[in-house]
Amino acid sequence: MARTIDWDEHEAAIVLVDQCALPATYRLLHVASVDDLIAAIQRLAVRGAPALGAAGALGVALAARVHGTDTAAVHADAQRLAAARPTAVNLRWGVERALAALPEGAGAVLAEARSMLAEDERVNREASAHAADLVLQRCARRPLRLLTHCNTGHLAAVAWGTALGAVWHLHAAGHVEYVLADETRPLLQGARLTAWELARAGVPYRLLPDSAAAAAMAQGLVDCVLVGADRVAANGDVANKVGTYGLAVAAARHGIPFVVVAPSSTVDKTVPDGGAIVIEQRDAGELTHVAGARIAPDGAPVFNPAFDVTPVELVTAVVTEHGIFAGAAR
């Protein structure tokens, strides 16, 4: 499985899949400055909590190489990078972990960042394997009909993925009938990215509008909901792509397991609950325009949060590489 993000030693640059170009074009970006990396993060060319952690670490390595012994400049770039997306805790985690190696020099920073790339795939394989086992325990029906939201596959990580990682495990064991993939408004990560990954992996799937997920549950088309997370509070509340909370409410209404899969680096024990999580607001144009064409009245007010918070009592389990972190275990 090719890495979503990596380091090119020959170019001294970060190489990442341009997720904005998919599914029409598979394109690699070669990023040689922190400014360009921040721009890529903010336009979602690289996204997904684990991938953002890797981007943060590699960005610090890039800054350390560019600025040399000017550690103040490296720290300044690191802070700008960490603030590029405020909700996704893995970005700051990756920045801070790589920055801790700065006293040992730029080479040590790069070594730490590169070690995190291999670690990411291992950790997410372990977390998703635990989640797959839990799904099999909770769902009697075989093969499984699974519903997912946003994109949580290898594109959202360095490789493998989180919630879709659990799908890879279950599919390999012959336990998946199909996956229902929410289109995921407003940037359609489900339609553009998740569908692309499922098709490449040979997993049967259907796309559905976000607003149709509850109807699919009511019609008995869903055995389990699998989602990722951008930040998990100390009490187990989950911030994830907007629309996740509504899925959890619907799943609880229909008695369907709702499983969150994330590496332990996504757990932020500095925030007591979901109310303390800063929710990123996206540009209004993501809703008022499609492909550059206006679809809403000129000046239409917009509420466009990138994420919402699902309270832990609606979550069957938050699963990390260490097993179940939190959840109502319903």
Side-chain angles (χ1 to χ4, degrees):
M1 185 174 288
R3 285 180 170 177
T4 299
I5 182 168
D6 210 341
W7 176 261
D8 187 311
E9 183 62 37
H10 177 71
E11 294 188 12
I14 301 166
V15 181
L16 55 89
V17 176
D18 184 354
Q19 297 186 43
C20 295
L22 290 168
T25 304
Y26 183 90
R27 180 170 64 212
L28 296 178
L29 299 178
H30 295 253
V31 178
S33 76
V34 171
D35 285 342
D36 286 347
L37 180 59
I38 290 172
I41 289 169
Q42 292 180 334
R43 71 179 181 88
L44 306 189
V46 57
R47 45 145 299 280
L52 287 174
L58 289 171
V60 175
L62 189 61
R65 178 164 294 205
V66 169
H67 296 300
T69 59
D70 187 353
T71 58
V74 177
H75 278 271
D77 275 353
Q79 290 310 308
R80 290 193 302 119
L81 183 57
R85 297 201 71 194
T87 306
V89 70
N90 285 71
L91 179 57
R92 181 169 292 276
W93 168 81
V95 166
E96 292 178 349
R97 181 164 160 182
L99 201 57
L102 185 59
E104 301 171 43
V109 176
L110 179 58
E112 179 65 12
R114 295 182 81 168
S115 75
M116 293 167 66
L117 301 177
E119 177 185 301
D120 178 84
E121 182 172 3
R122 175 184 61 78
V123 163
N124 287 312
R125 281 181 180 270
E126 292 173 0
S128 58
H130 290 314
D133 288 343
L134 178 65
V135 171
L136 292 175
Q137 293 169 21
R138 293 283 172 175
C139 301
R141 188 187 179 283
R142 301 288 188 278
L144 294 161
R145 291 107 27 115
L146 306 169
L147 187 146
T148 191
H149 189 65
C150 198
N151 172 260
T152 56
H154 83 269
L155 290 169
V158 175
W160 191 254
T162 56
L164 273 187
V167 172
W168 309 148
H169 286 296
L170 292 166
H171 174 66
H175 294 312
V176 177
E177 180 177 339
Y178 59 73
V179 174
L180 291 176
D182 278 355
E183 62 178 351
T184 314
R185 296 288 300 162
L187 295 186
L188 305 178
Q189 287 98 318
R192 295 189 304 104
L193 307 179
T194 298
W196 182 80
E197 289 200 50
L198 290 168
R200 283 169 59 92
V203 179
Y205 74 94
R206 282 190 287 173
L207 283 175
L208 73 164
D210 294 359
S211 55
M217 295 181 199
Q219 292 178 34
L221 302 178
V222 180
D223 298 313
C224 184
V225 178
L226 283 165
V227 299
D230 288 87
R231 188 180 300 231
V232 179
N235 73 332
D237 289 350
V238 175
N240 192 48
K241 179 65 181 178
V242 67
T244 302
Y245 175 43
L247 288 180
V249 171
R253 167 67 177 81
H254 295 287
I256 295 170
F258 184 90
V259 178
V260 179
V261 190
S264 60
S265 55
T266 304
V267 177
D268 185 359
K269 294 185 178 179
T270 69
V271 294
D273 54 47
I277 297 175
V278 175
I279 300 298
E280 173 190 346
Q281 295 290 324
R282 300 289 298 176
D283 185 84
E286 293 176 349
L287 289 181
T288 60
H289 292 71
V290 172
R294 175 174 288 280
I295 60 169
D298 191 28
V302 167
F303 174 61
N304 188 22
F307 308 97
D308 57 25
V309 175
T310 299
V312 65
E313 57 264 27
L314 294 177
V315 177
T316 302
V318 176
V319 184
T320 76
E321 71 273 23
H322 304 302
I324 295 176
F325 168 73
R330 57 176 173 77

